[in-house]
Amino acid sequence: NGCVVVAGTTDSIAAFVAARCTTPGDAVTSLGSSLALKLVSAKRVDDSAKGVYSHRLCGSWLVGGSSNLGGWLLRSNFSDDELVALTDKIDLEDAEKESSTPDYYPGVLMGFGMTVKEATDALSPRPDADEDFLRAILGSVAGVEARSYREMASMGASNVARVFTAGGGAKNSKWSTIRSRAMGGIPVTASEFAEASYGSALLARMGHYNLPTYVPEER
């Protein structure tokens, strides 16, 4: 009794709202166990066959898509301590190593088209060094993300200009660099406010007070 419902959302949209993005071209990638993409667009884009959909949000369109190729690939092969230690060993300036790193998911876009078994079986060949194997997984997921944003743009959505990251993957700065390179140098940074609960609170605030935007005023 007494509870007023003013908004409803999903975890990835709430994470997007938490980043306080409003400009077409702004995007938020949620990198948890899976991969969720959200892009502010001036144009609506929908294609159920490709897993692309749009939500109306404050005068713009929020174009989104998802992939089941995410952080679970890391957790199924490495412990948290191993991820930290092996990430430290990755040399992003080694051009020869970068060019020889396998792409386990060439051509794969957003969508849940691969089963866990198919995605796991695709992790071959495995490099001899564990840090090179980790690099290959990071780069392969980055490729899925980059191709998916490009696919959205080819369908008519706004071109991605910058990407904020929510979820556990936001903590890995080297992964952010790999993802940025995959997207042609577009800035990729961790969201300052990444909690979905914060985004939900912003939506509730907007609805309760009938505000025109979820972005709070600067004080």
Side-chain angles (χ1 to χ4, degrees):
N1 293 332
C3 177
V4 179
V5 178
V6 296
T9 187
T10 65
D11 55 351
S12 59
I13 291 179
F16 173 89
V17 171
R20 303 188 292 187
C21 297
T22 59
T23 305
D26 283 351
V28 174
T29 294
S30 295
L31 258 179
S33 57
S34 59
L35 179 71
L37 315 179
K38 295 290 182 287
L39 168 68
V40 182
S41 175
K43 180 180 177 181
R44 177 176 183 168
V45 173
D46 293 284
D47 190 328
S48 58
K50 294 182 178 180
V52 179
Y53 47 86
S54 295
H55 299 276
R56 192 65 168 165
L57 186 62
C58 297
S60 294
W61 291 101
L62 188 58
V63 182
S66 301
S67 171
N68 59 342
L69 300 175
W72 71 267
L73 290 163
L74 306 179
R75 291 294 179 85
S76 63
N77 288 280
F78 306 104
S79 68
D80 288 348
D81 289 342
E82 287 173 332
L83 285 172
V84 172
L86 293 173
T87 297
D88 286 342
K89 291 183 178 181
I90 295 176
D91 181 5
L92 295 180
E93 304 308 316
D94 188 337
E96 181 178 352
K97 184 76 68 175
E98 183 173 2
S99 63
S100 63
T101 299
D103 181 1
Y104 295 131
Y105 307 113
V108 174
L109 296 167
M110 56 201 150
F112 287 78
M114 297 185 77
T115 66
V116 170
K117 184 179 187 305
E118 289 170 338
T120 302
D121 290 346
L123 298 177
S124 179
R126 175 169 179 152
D128 294 332
D130 285 342
E131 63 267 26
D132 293 338
F133 182 43
L134 173 60
R135 181 178 187 148
I137 296 175
L138 298 178
S140 297
V141 175
V144 174
E145 177 188 23
R147 283 189 296 272
S148 296
Y149 278 125
R150 287 196 294 269
E151 181 69 12
M152 289 180 183
S154 72
M155 295 167 64
S158 299
N159 290 314
V160 62
R162 58 178 180 169
V163 177
F164 296 94
T165 311
K171 300 175 184 178
N172 192 321
S173 61
K174 286 189 177 179
W175 199 0
S176 295
T177 299
I178 292 171
R179 292 164 52 217
S180 175
R181 289 178 179 177
M183 289 185 275
I186 289 170
V188 176
T189 57
S191 295
E192 182 180 0
F193 305 100
E195 293 297 330
S197 57
Y198 175 62
S200 297
L202 291 179
L203 285 176
R205 172 181 176 273
M206 182 179 72
H208 180 70
Y209 293 108
N210 197 27
L211 300 174
T213 179
Y214 48 84
V215 179
E217 304 86 352
E218 294 292 337
R219 295 184 183 276

